[in-house]
Amino acid sequence: MKIAYITDSTIVLPDALAQHPDIHIVPLYVVKGDQPYKDGIEVDAKTVYEWIDAGERVSTSQPAIGDFVTLYEKLKEDYDMGIAIHLSSDLSGTYSASVQGAEIAEFKLLAFDSRAGIYTMGLMFEELIERVERGDALEDVEAYMKKRVEDVRIELTLQNLTQMQKGGRISKSKALIGNMLQLKPVLRFEEGLIVPYQTVRTYKKAQAHLFEVLRAAIESGECQDVSIFHGNVPELAEEWKKQLGDTIPIRVDTLAPLLGAHTGSGSIGISYLKAKS
């Protein structure tokens, strides 16, 4: 049986998957004003952060069901079925659009809601493909993946609250007060949602908190492969990587424009899957 693997442009693929011939990535859309652009195809992260810093109105949009129908109609010509993993369904309708697109195209699809995004989704994708390609039964792969989503670890902080306010995530008054008092939220993924779990005075203190969280995870063995992601502050992320050493693989990634459009420039965070016991 020939299987296609499908995901979306919010993913950060591990290096081992970068050249996989059967992976197909459906772009979400970055919208400047009223003009949509395909993420990673018609616009890159650098340009999106330039728009944000220039004060442009930047938002995001999920792929249309028709985008998936077109893909799945094409995949039917070469594949017996597809296996998909997508950005958390609590943040985007991408997962639902993928499932509906497969139904319309009459393409057999096993789809997973990652309950996350970025590098953790990439790591789950890698584990999923490894299990399928070594011959595990699909029902066993499905059971494993549904449990593995509980091991997602994504935490981040923001330089300011302006972009979250523009995206409707918080009120204008909260953003104004927070920026005036230098209140910096530390956010994390919980059950598919990005939620604040701590508020810290000053950006530097929020950075220090996250850095220590990551250091502790590495030293305890909870973390074995990590992405330090950033919103247009690569020097800071590279400095973190340098300080943490090379005991485990650490990569630096620019935060996907689809998420960066809500967090803005200056955001920094950590993304990994809890080590399997």
Side-chain angles (χ1 to χ4, degrees), residues 64-178:
I65 294 174
D67 293 344
F68 284 105
V69 173
T70 299
L71 173 64
Y72 292 144
E73 289 284 5
K74 183 178 179 180
L75 293 182
K76 281 169 60 176
E77 300 173 6
D78 300 309
Y79 295 93
D80 299 300
M81 69 169 293
I83 300 178
I85 188 166
H86 291 295
L87 175 65
S88 172
S89 62
D90 287 309
L91 299 179
S92 167
T94 303
Y95 168 83
S96 178
S98 179
V99 172
Q100 292 178 64
E103 291 174 352
I104 294 170
E106 297 182 337
F107 180 64
K108 184 179 180 182
L109 182 72
L110 174 60
F112 295 99
D113 179 353
S114 73
R115 310 295 287 162
I118 54 177
Y119 194 50
T120 52
M121 186 163 77
L123 291 171
M124 284 190 280
F125 203 32
E126 183 177 33
E127 291 183 1
L128 184 160
I129 292 173
E130 286 177 354
R131 280 165 167 70
V132 172
E133 293 186 344
R134 77 186 184 192
D136 288 13
L138 290 183
E139 55 266 31
D140 293 337
V141 174
E142 185 172 13
Y144 175 83
M145 293 304 297
K146 287 182 176 179
K147 186 172 183 180
R148 193 65 166 129
V149 299
E150 299 173 2
D151 295 328
V152 166
R153 298 291 184 273
I154 302 176
E155 300 192 15
L156 70 153
T157 192
L158 316 180
Q159 191 169 46
N160 62 66
L161 303 174
T162 303
Q163 201 61 27
M164 288 192 76
Q165 181 265 313
K166 287 182 177 180
R169 303 287 176 176
I170 61 173
S171 68
K172 188 174 182 178
S173 61
K174 284 186 177 179
L176 178 62
I177 293 170

Side-chain angles (χ1 to χ4, degrees), residues 8-77:
D8 61 67
S9 62
T10 62
I11 199 168
V12 174
L13 288 174
D15 292 340
L17 295 184
Q19 303 301 321
H20 197 294
D22 300 313
I23 290 178
H24 304 268
I25 300 175
V26 178
L28 279 78
Y29 292 87
V30 178
V31 184
K32 184 178 77 165
D34 297 320
Q35 178 63 46
Y37 298 87
K38 290 183 178 179
D39 177 30
I41 298 174
E42 298 173 338
V43 68
D44 60 14
K46 182 176 183 294
T47 300
V48 173
Y49 285 109
E50 288 174 354
W51 290 345
I52 292 171
D53 291 342
E56 299 281 359
R57 180 164 58 91
V58 179
S59 59
T60 63
S61 178
Q62 69 191 53
I65 294 174
D67 293 344
F68 284 105
V69 173
T70 299
L71 173 64
Y72 292 144
E73 289 284 5
K74 183 178 179 180
L75 293 182
K76 281 169 60 176
E77 300 173 6

Side-chain angles (χ1 to χ4, degrees), residues 212-224 248 270 272:
E212 290 307 318
V213 167
L214 181 55
R215 187 201 298 274
I218 293 172
E219 291 178 353
S220 70
E222 178 182 87
C223 174
Q224 294 183 349
I248 67 165
I270 57 178
Y272 63 92

